[in-house]
Amino acid sequence: MQFDPNDSELGRRLDQLAGQASSASVSPELQKKLQDALGPSLVPVNPIPSRTNLSLLFLVVFVIGAGGLAALMKRTGLHLMSRVQIGAMASILAACGTVLAAELAGEMIPGGRRMAPLWAKWAVCGISGFLGLAVLFPWQSSGNFVAEGWPCALMEVTFALPAAGFFWLLARQGALLMSPAVGATLAGVAVVLALIPLQSQCMFQQAPHLLVWHGTAALLLIGLGAAAGNLRRVRE
């Protein structure tokens, strides 16, 4: 229901409710003070969309962001990966992005029911990503491990930070209550989005490189998201 502070019926409704509570012994002066205090706060609000619609919104933004970045970059990594590697990693990243986007949409609606605890979703995403990289890619590395790795980590951070900020702006349209879990989820969606174009253009498709440089940057960003969520919760 929407309330308009300029509604001529507002005063009558409040007076009627106050009159019904005769047993409370509320004085007319107190009634007037309550009416003056509550009236300006009853402003029109837009209803929050359903969880399904919010999830679809995040998924559309996720797909456009990841696909757009991948299209603008070189696709060296795609040419170096086999069809099995491409299919498996695309499935893992898409599934994790979908799960985290749905979780973020749920956080915008207080009191929503969860099918599974957040830690279980994080565990599935983390384990599947680690196993995918560890099993599908060769365990070898060149002598320039650091020189080859830090540009990928920097690129991931460069992609993920603006994405996290954009997802946060979208999430603020709902009743989002910040916490470490919410901050980590925001960062997680942005990290998965950044990993898709990063994986498609990376020329070092070996497990040590992918786990250390791509994975470490992801963990760092998710940890920063959790810390930011906790800091904002304390301030609120």
Side-chain angles (χ1 to χ4, degrees):
M1 179 181 295
Q2 296 185 353
F3 293 94
D4 188 349
N6 297 318
D7 187 357
S8 60
E9 295 294 321
L10 178 61
R12 186 185 62 79
R13 293 174 185 175
L14 291 175
D15 290 337
Q16 183 180 9
L17 291 174
Q20 293 174 354
S22 57
S23 60
S25 301
V26 179
S27 65
E29 292 79 7
L30 181 56
Q31 293 180 25
K32 184 62 169 58
K33 289 182 179 179
L34 290 174
Q35 180 175 326
D36 293 340
L38 292 175
S41 66
L42 300 178
V43 296
V45 297
N46 295 321
I48 300 176
S50 67
R51 180 168 182 168
T52 300
N53 290 338
L54 291 173
S55 298
L56 289 175
L57 172 62
F58 283 122
L59 285 176
V60 169
V61 174
F62 179 88
V63 171
I64 292 176
L69 287 173
L72 293 174
M73 301 177 64
K74 297 179 179 179
R75 290 177 286 278
T76 307
L78 291 179
H79 298 301
L80 295 174
M81 289 189 289
S82 66
R83 292 182 179 180
V84 174
Q85 290 172 333
I86 294 174
M89 293 310 302
S91 299
I92 291 172
L93 292 175
C96 291
T98 301
V99 169
L100 294 177
E103 181 66 26
L104 184 58
E107 292 292 343
M108 296 171 64
I109 305 175
R113 185 170 64 91
R114 290 184 173 88
M115 300 300 296
L118 180 58
W119 66 265
K121 299 174 184 178
W122 273 110
V124 171
C125 290
I127 293 173
S128 61
F130 175 83
L131 290 178
L133 296 176
V135 173
L136 295 172
F137 294 86
W139 282 84
Q140 61 185 36
S141 60
S142 66
N144 298 321
F145 187 73
V146 175
E148 295 170 352
W150 72 262
C152 283
L154 180 60
M155 184 178 298
E156 184 177 341
V157 173
T158 303
F159 289 163
L161 287 180
F166 189 74
F167 281 121
W168 178 68
L169 290 176
L170 290 178
R172 288 186 64 192
Q173 304 306 309
L176 187 69
L177 300 177
M178 290 302 296
S179 67
V182 174
T185 303
L186 270 168
V189 177
V191 164
V192 177
L193 185 153
L195 285 174
I196 292 176
L198 181 62
Q199 183 82 19
S200 68
Q201 71 86 39
C202 181
M203 66 180 63
F204 308 108
Q205 297 293 329
Q206 298 92 30
H209 171 88
L210 297 173
L211 288 171
V212 171
W213 294 106
H214 296 204
T216 299
L219 292 176
L220 175 62
L221 288 167
I222 292 171
L224 289 175
N230 183 63
L231 179 61
R232 189 167 183 84
R233 181 185 65 173
V234 171
R235 289 183 175 179
E236 291 175 351

